[in-house]
Amino acid sequence: MSQQLPGRDVVLNAAETGAVEAAAATTHRGPHTDVAVDLTQFEALIAADQRIEPRDVMPEAYRRSLVRQIAQHAHSEIIGMQPEGAWISRAPSLRRKAILMAKVQDEAGHGLYLYSAAETLGVSRDDLLDQLHEGRQRYSSIFNYPTLTWADMGAIGWLVDGAAIMNQVPLCRCSYGPYARAVIRVCKEESFHQRQGFEILWTLARGTDAQRAMAQDAVDRWWWPALMMFGPPDDESTHSAQSMAWGIKRFSNDELRQRFVDITVPQAQRIGLTLPDADLALDEESGHWRFGEIDWSEFERVLRGDGPCNATRVAHRRAAHEDGAWVREAAAAYAAKQRVQEPAA
Amino acid sequence: MSEPLWEVFVRASRGLSHQHVGSLHAPDAAMALRNARDVFTRRQEGVSLWVVPAAAITASSPDEREAFFDPAGDKVYRHPTFYEVPEDVQYL
């Protein structure tokens, strides 16, 4: 007897119907498919370092953890457009302006890849945006710091994007297929971001005394927040252990932070700027750069909403969303009109 | 207000087939194509784009995977390595 063909209502990424509903439909189909059997397959795939795809059965906690992480990642990309977007009109040359616009456009694109990945887990983009606007989902606390000078464009590209790349590269091997694929695209595009940031600081450091001072000031302000981007220390990280076991995370927060410090210190030396840490010292034996105590109370404060820009970032994001509503409505009305005029062949 | 989902396929260069690269939301096919250009080909990643309504795709089901693909499992004779031929025969 030939196999029954799957129904037409099953979409590739399961975004509309939802992986969860698909999973639920599977488990309710008959007596031979129960939850325990399905999770055995999930665990076997994880153990074999295989990818989980949207319509595979997965533990609800795995799905929820991914939604939280991917949404937070997507929100960070689109909120991250603001600190740099603020400098597009003030970029010092046409070349710098074109580059900055391309970079900010990339951040928007990265947000879109990631929202699409999140949607494969059965959540809607509209709902994720609502959660961002209502403060129910977070974005990286780094974007709650202000960009005071042009040199901040350099420090963000070099340090903030540098730290982001360090965090993201291992995510290219994340156990959840759509997330890994989205991050691969993000990483390919991100390396220009870091290099252009380095170039800005490199140029300023070779300029006038005032320009050099501006570059140093930017590095002084961004260094510690960049180190905080790797998240709390391993022994205080709430989600780490489970994420590692599920193959979502591949390296611990502290490991990645150390790696970032080790590659960044020589780069700072090369530019000729000082990293604002009196305790920074090379440990000859291990080859690692030892660094000072991170002020986690500041991290907690900014995460809680008391950073310099938390309120303005979310307010700006909401305003942009509301101001753009008429465009979405007009496009929908036009699409509806076209459908009436040209019935499908 | 939720816009329909579109799957995006890019032909990287002449001679290659279109490949799935991701998905996006758009109110209609023309907007989907424009959005796909901006989202997936900002660095000359393609010479041709397809956008397909996600709802129009019929997919095989993961829970029927084994039964669905198993028939090919015991037909190793479809591979050239299945056949034993003398080692000194050339171009075979």
Side-chain angles (χ1 to χ4, degrees):
Chain A
M1 174 67 202
S2 68
Q3 284 303 311
Q4 192 198 342
L5 286 170
R8 285 188 64 82
D9 55 334
V10 182
V11 301
L12 191 63
N13 269 343
E16 304 291 354
T17 49
V20 184
E21 287 169 42
T26 305
T27 49
H28 295 146
R29 187 159 301 162
H32 11 259
T33 47
D34 60 60
V35 179
V37 169
D38 290 336
L39 285 186
T40 308
Q41 204 202 3
F42 169 84
E43 275 149 21
L45 286 170
I46 294 289
D49 203 12
Q50 292 277 307
R51 298 294 172 264
I52 305 299
E53 294 295 344
R55 296 164 72 243
D56 289 332
V57 174
M58 59 188 89
E60 175 57 16
Y62 175 82
R63 191 190 73 86
R64 246 183 297 125
S65 182
L66 277 167
V67 168
R68 181 188 55 78
Q69 180 170 343
I70 302 173
Q72 184 169 322
H73 195 165
H75 297 332
S76 300
E77 296 285 355
I78 64 165
I79 292 289
M81 296 166 73
Q82 292 184 35
E84 290 173 293
W87 278 89
I88 289 175
S89 63
R90 293 174 285 172
S93 70
L94 192 56
R95 174 182 182 268
R96 298 284 185 200
K97 188 192 288 244
I99 292 169
L100 195 55
M101 281 197 290
K103 183 173 188 289
V104 172
Q105 195 187 6
D106 273 355
E107 314 292 3
H110 296 173
L112 292 176
Y113 305 151
L114 292 161
Y115 283 121
S116 286
E119 283 182 297
T120 65
L121 292 159
V123 291
S124 86
R125 185 169 318 193
D126 294 340
D127 186 46
L128 295 180
L129 287 175
D130 284 346
Q131 300 208 43
L132 169 65
H133 297 157
E134 288 158 19
R136 285 183 286 130
Q137 274 177 349
R138 283 169 170 168
Y139 52 89
S140 176
S141 66
I142 191 84
F143 301 117
N144 289 319
Y145 292 88
T147 43
L148 304 178
T149 69
W150 171 251
D152 287 13
M153 299 305 99
I156 287 181
W158 176 44
L159 297 175
V160 175
D161 289 310
I165 291 170
M166 189 62 77
N167 269 329
Q168 285 167 356
V169 166
L171 287 173
C172 295
R173 294 193 293 120
C174 166
S175 62
Y176 188 58
Y179 189 28
R181 292 193 286 275
V183 174
I184 287 170
R185 295 189 65 87
V186 169
C187 286
K188 273 187 190 161
E189 300 180 357
E190 201 89 50
S191 67
F192 121 63
H193 298 183
Q194 195 189 14
R195 288 172 68 101
Q196 68 87 35
F198 185 91
E199 191 204 61
I200 288 173
L201 291 181
W202 175 259
T203 306
L204 287 173
R206 262 135 210 86
T208 63
D209 285 348
Q211 286 170 328
R212 215 167 9 257
M214 191 201 286
Q216 182 61 57
D217 167 65
V219 169
D220 288 347
R221 282 181 291 110
W222 290 96
W223 172 249
W224 290 107
L227 291 192
M228 294 175 199
M229 284 175 69
F230 296 94
D234 294 349
D235 47 8
E236 289 164 33
S237 181
T238 19
H239 306 291
S240 279
Q242 182 60 72
S243 287
M244 297 271 256
W246 277 331
I248 298 173
K249 232 174 133 83
R250 300 286 180 169
F251 300 97
S252 78
N253 295 352
D254 286 334
E255 261 179 292
L256 291 171
R257 187 168 13 246
Q258 182 63 58
R259 221 183 278 181
F260 175 72
V261 171
D262 288 343
I263 66 160
T264 307
V265 172
Q267 293 175 354
Q269 291 171 336
R270 190 73 178 85
I271 305 179
L273 294 172
T274 310
L275 296 173
D277 180 359
D279 296 327
L280 204 57
L282 183 65
D283 175 18
E284 299 282 357
E285 206 167 301
S286 66
H288 291 304
W289 285 88
R290 297 295 166 216
F291 51 96
E293 197 75 24
I294 293 172
D295 180 5
W296 291 111
S297 64
E298 176 184 322
F299 178 75
E300 292 297 331
R301 207 168 56 241
V302 177
L303 209 57
R304 264 203 323 272
D306 291 337
C309 301
N310 296 55
T312 48
R313 295 293 185 238
V314 173
H316 186 88
R317 173 62 218 150
R318 289 176 76 127
H321 189 69
E322 284 157 18
D323 292 348
W326 72 270
V327 179
R328 295 190 293 277
E329 285 159 16
Y334 181 76
K337 199 173 85 180
Q338 297 298 106
R339 272 197 301 276
V340 172
Q341 283 172 358
E342 298 168 35
Chain B
M1 177 183 69
S2 191
E3 296 173 345
L5 186 72
W6 304 77
E7 299 296 338
V8 182
F9 299 77
V10 175
R11 183 199 294 284
S13 69
R14 292 185 168 279
L16 297 178
S17 57
H18 286 74
Q19 263 209 332
H20 183 241
V21 290
S23 56
L24 50 76
H25 289 275
D28 59 34
M31 287 291 287
L33 211 47
R34 276 167 183 269
N35 291 353
R37 178 200 60 186
D38 291 343
V39 176
F40 294 104
T41 61
R42 285 196 303 283
R43 288 174 174 78
Q44 300 180 295
E45 287 97 333
V47 295
S48 167
L49 270 173
W50 288 349
V51 289
V52 179
I57 291 174
T58 305
S60 62
S61 169
D63 55 293
E64 287 164 2
R65 184 183 50 210
E66 282 183 22
F68 196 65
F69 293 107
D70 264 1
D74 58 359
K75 297 178 179 60
V76 283
Y77 45 83
R78 283 177 170 151
H79 297 278
T81 46
F82 175 76
Y83 299 91
E84 281 178 37
V85 296
E87 276 179 29
D88 55 354
V89 179
Q90 288 188 306
Y91 310 119
L92 202 64

